Structures are given as C-alpha cells and as structure tokens.
Amino acid sequence: MSQLSAARIIMVAYTLATIGTLGFHFIDGMIAEDAGGNPWINAFYCSVITLTTVGYGDICPSDKMSHAGRIFIIALSFCGLGMFCGPIMDLSSSWKERIPGGIIGPGIFALASGIVLFAYFEGMSIIDAAYFTIITGTTVGYGDLGPKTDFGRLATALFAILVVNVIGGMLEPAKKYLSDLCVVSIERTESKLASDTKKTRKKKKN
C-alpha cells in the first residue's frame, strides 16, 4: 500500500513555484512594464496565479511577451498544472477539516477571510472584496479587479493556494442538484420503452 508524501508534495510545490517565479522574472515581456512594486513579488504572484489557473491577466502576461515566454507558459502548464491543482492544493486546503460545518463552514471562513484581507489591505469595498474572493476561489479570474500593492499580491498568491479548493467545494451542492435534474432513472426509462412497445404492437394488431 502506498500514499502520497506530504513532504514530497511540498517540495514539488516549492520547485514548481520557484521555476515559475524565475521564468516570470527573467524572461522579457512576461510582466507588464507598468506593474510597479517589487519585481520578485510580482514574479511569484504571476507564477502562483498561473499554476492555480486563476489567471487574472492583470500584470501578466504583458502585450510584449516573447515567443520564449509563450513556450515557457506552455511548458509550465503541461508540467505543473496537474500536480499543482491536484495533490498540492488538496494538501494546502486540508485545514478545512479542522473547521466544523461540512463544506459550508470552511467556505464561509474562507470567504470572510478574503473579504477582510482585500478590504483592509487593498482598500476594496465589502462588495468588491467579496466579488474578488469568489472570482479568485472559483478560478474565474476576470482581471477587472486585482491587488495593487506588494503585500496584496503576495497575500493573494498565498490565499489562492489555500482556498481555491475550499471555495470550489462550496459548488458541490449546486453541482449535485443540477446533476440530479439531469439524471433519468434507467428502470423508469426501460419501463416506458416497454409500455410504448406494447402499445405499438396493439395498434398493429388492430
């Protein structure tokens, strides 16, 4: 019997984030020239936002991204997304098991934390902070809102790693309800087909 090693998962996560950070920092045109802030924090932010598939498109990539940059993104996506969005983010969201309330409890905690974080440190309104939290947590990542400060970008990257799977879990009840609406009982379908066949036969005899 085998199981995933938490230490190895963390090591892989660190390696992928580091490779992404180095690529965004050193390859020309990866980050917008007017992004402002610390270049290394910007690179780390872009690396994590890419690996978590949030992809705001706010400061990265720039409209001057080179072919080398595009090749790097392709390689990072193919080599990193499966591992990062799977075991790594499952491990990083394991804190939810310590909060009661099933899916809803941790989801509400994550939502409240995001609202406080973005409202206080980025000066967003409560509505904008809630909107940005959900857009981040569900990986929709429109890019119409985004962090402007170094701390905000660093916090957003870490927030995405910790809560994407948690907020995504809040969608399960809606998924189950909509899936149930689309499910048709096989027994009922077979019974209806048999009934229709009998009616057809009777009509032909008559």
Side-chain angles (χ1 to χ4, degrees):
M1 184 177 180
S2 60
Q3 64 179 13
L4 291 171
S5 166
R8 292 186 180 184
I9 291 174
I10 292 171
M11 182 179 68
V12 171
Y14 176 81
T15 301
L16 289 172
T18 300
I19 291 172
T21 300
L22 292 172
F24 275 100
H25 183 77
F26 287 112
I27 298 175
D28 291 336
M30 295 294 284
I31 298 176
E33 294 177 355
D34 59 351
N38 184 291
W40 283 105
I41 291 178
N42 289 344
F44 174 74
Y45 165 78
C46 289
S47 174
V48 171
I49 293 306
T50 300
L51 287 168
T52 55
T53 73
V54 175
Y56 296 123
D58 50 351
I59 65 170
C60 53
S62 75
D63 55 4
K64 297 180 180 179
M65 185 168 64
S66 63
H67 290 310
R70 291 188 169 89
I71 292 171
F72 173 78
I73 293 296
I74 291 171
L76 184 66
S77 299
F78 272 100
C79 297
L81 289 184
M83 184 65 183
F84 208 92
C85 293
I88 291 172
M89 294 183 70
D90 285 342
L91 177 64
S92 68
S93 63
S94 60
W95 59 267
K96 67 180 183 293
E97 298 169 4
R98 302 180 182 179
I99 298 178
I103 294 173
I104 303 300
I108 292 175
F109 179 80
L111 178 60
S113 299
I115 291 173
V116 172
L117 175 68
F118 300 123
Y120 184 79
F121 290 104
E122 286 295 315
M124 296 181 184
S125 67
I126 300 298
I127 297 298
D128 283 348
Y131 167 80
F132 184 67
T133 299
I134 294 298
I135 291 302
T136 299
T138 55
T139 72
V140 173
Y142 285 128
D144 53 337
L145 286 179
K148 306 298 183 185
T149 64
D150 284 341
F151 180 84
R153 287 169 182 163
L154 186 61
T156 299
L158 297 176
F159 181 79
I161 294 173
L162 292 171
V163 308
V164 161
N165 280 11
V166 176
I167 293 181
M170 295 177 68
L171 304 178
E172 284 300 316
K175 174 187 173 183
K176 184 178 184 306
Y177 175 75
L178 293 174
S179 295
D180 288 344
L181 286 179
C182 299
V183 172
V184 178
S185 172
I186 295 176
E187 292 180 0
R188 288 178 56 190
T189 303
E190 290 178 346
S191 176
K192 186 176 185 305
L193 287 172
S195 176
D196 291 343
T197 301
K198 287 181 181 180
K199 289 179 181 180
T200 303
R201 288 176 179 174
K202 285 182 181 180
K203 287 181 180 180
K204 287 181 178 180
K205 287 179 180 181
N206 295 333

